[in-house]
Amino acid sequence: MKVLLVGAGGRESAIAEALVNSGAKLYVVSKHVNPGIKKLAQEYGLAKETDIGKVLDFALNWGIDLAFIGPEAPLEKGIVDILEENGIPTVGPSREAAQLETNKAFARQIMEKYKIPGRKLFKVFNDAKEMSDWIDEFGKPVVVKPLGLTGGKGVKVVGYQLKDNEEAKDYAKKLIEKDGKVLIEERTDGVEFTFQVFTDGKEIFPMPLAQDYPHAYDGDVGPITGGMGSYSCENHYLPFVTKEDYEKALNTLKKTIKAMRKEGIPYKGILYGQFMLAKDEPKIIEFNARFGDPEAMNVLPILETPLLEIAQGIVDGALKKAKFQEKATVVKYIAPKGYPENPIRGVQIQVNEAKIREAGAKIYYASIDENLTLLGSRALAIVGIADSIEEAEKIASQGIKHVKGEIFYRRDVGTKESIEKRVRIMKELRGE
Ligand code: GLY
């Protein structure tokens, strides 16, 4: 079967590998040539992922049977609708359904309308005075969010990127001036985790939980990035998430899919719940309409059910199963020095693939070209997979030694110390 993959980051590298391993003939369109994906692909077309006309031309010329969309930007542009109108079944939500990610007010309103658990108190404003009065009256720390896609960089939280509610009001006012609207939410304290599921619009199959490290530097400091690494555990839970928390979070995702169906906007593909585990329950911070990056690299290498079978189940509305190996995983992303604010670009790095594999680790290339020249975003990821998180972390750390150049990475992703810190925060919050 000829499968089109759109996108070529680390996430798409993991999707590409899982598709090829399950028998797909891979065809790729993306804005740069990813050296790892290139080796797996029959054909490779260069175009912006959001240039839907070009993507469609490639797909029709190649005679594609099924498409798989990696990133969110083409979903927002309606790539799934266009490909399907042209007879190509596609894994990913329609433009309308993708609003769960691309329009934060839509997602909150669906949760409110259907009383889906895990909601946060929120308000959407288009008037700066009303916004300011509401924040004053609310009196507790808030989160300020632009409504649309921001690559994870537009959300600002009081106590983190914003000093106090006064700064929040100033930032919210700027967003109203720029976008016409802003979303203000209550701040929820706790520990974040990622819950991804496959869905055909009716059935839901969970993937192992993962935890992302969004800050640039060790110790959870520095600017917010796309994610500097992530880990998952052999039992598919996380050390600070109880079975009850897990069931509650799964229920939130199930109810969301059900609500979308009732709303007449069925959602199919991958749904990513970014949860904050608060004192009382997991609360939705955001939905994403695709795999996480890096979290796709935690779950796909340990997927036992062939991804192609899952993809067909999703597009046929007949999803039957998604099983994963009981393995722990640690993903460490390597980024150019200066990332995310002022990344070095155009400089070559050295990657000793043979030594990395000898260390037992996997390599997924991302924002890097065929000559191993840095393109400015996260360049490649090294992944350790083992029976325990300690072992997986060791493998990833061994592998990463064989990448040299103007780069940096977070040494603490998946380490005992950093995981214990998260467990401690949760225990303190719950008074245990
Ligand atoms: N790791 C965060 C994201 O994929 O959005």
Side-chain angles (χ1 to χ4, degrees), residues 12-53:
E12 289 78 20
S13 298
I15 298 172
E17 180 186 69
L19 285 171
V20 170
N21 285 348
S22 52
K25 288 209 179 316
L26 188 71
Y27 294 75
V28 182
V29 178
S30 79
K31 62 179 178 302
H32 80 280
V33 176
N34 174 312
I37 297 181
K38 174 92 186 288
K39 283 190 195 142
L40 299 171
Q42 311 285 321
E43 300 268 5
Y44 206 114
L46 278 179
K48 270 191 172 168
E49 291 87 359
T50 47
D51 189 341
I52 297 177

Side-chain angles (χ1 to χ4, degrees), residues 212 226 272 288 290-295:
D212 184 19
Y272 169 131
N288 290 324
R290 34 85 192 164
F291 279 116
D293 190 353
E295 296 96 322

Side-chain angles (χ1 to χ4, degrees), residues 53 79 109 137 160 173 178 186 201 204 267 322 375 378 418:
I79 194 167
Q109 279 149 6
E137 199 176 311
Y160 296 87
K173 191 162 172 271
K178 185 164 81 67
E186 62 175 326
I204 277 194
Y267 183 103
L375 298 176
R378 296 168 296 176
S418 94

Side-chain angles (χ1 to χ4, degrees), residues 246-280:
Y246 177 94
E247 292 302 336
K248 281 183 180 170
L250 183 58
N251 188 36
T252 293
L253 298 176
K254 280 186 179 159
K255 290 212 153 126
T256 304
I257 294 300
K258 198 167 168 194
M260 292 295 280
R261 215 170 55 241
K262 279 201 183 146
E263 200 64 4
I265 314 173
Y267 183 103
K268 71 172 195 327
I270 288 93
L271 182 63
Y272 169 131
Q274 187 188 351
F275 285 94
M276 175 70 81
L277 185 53
K279 192 174 174 181
D280 51 339

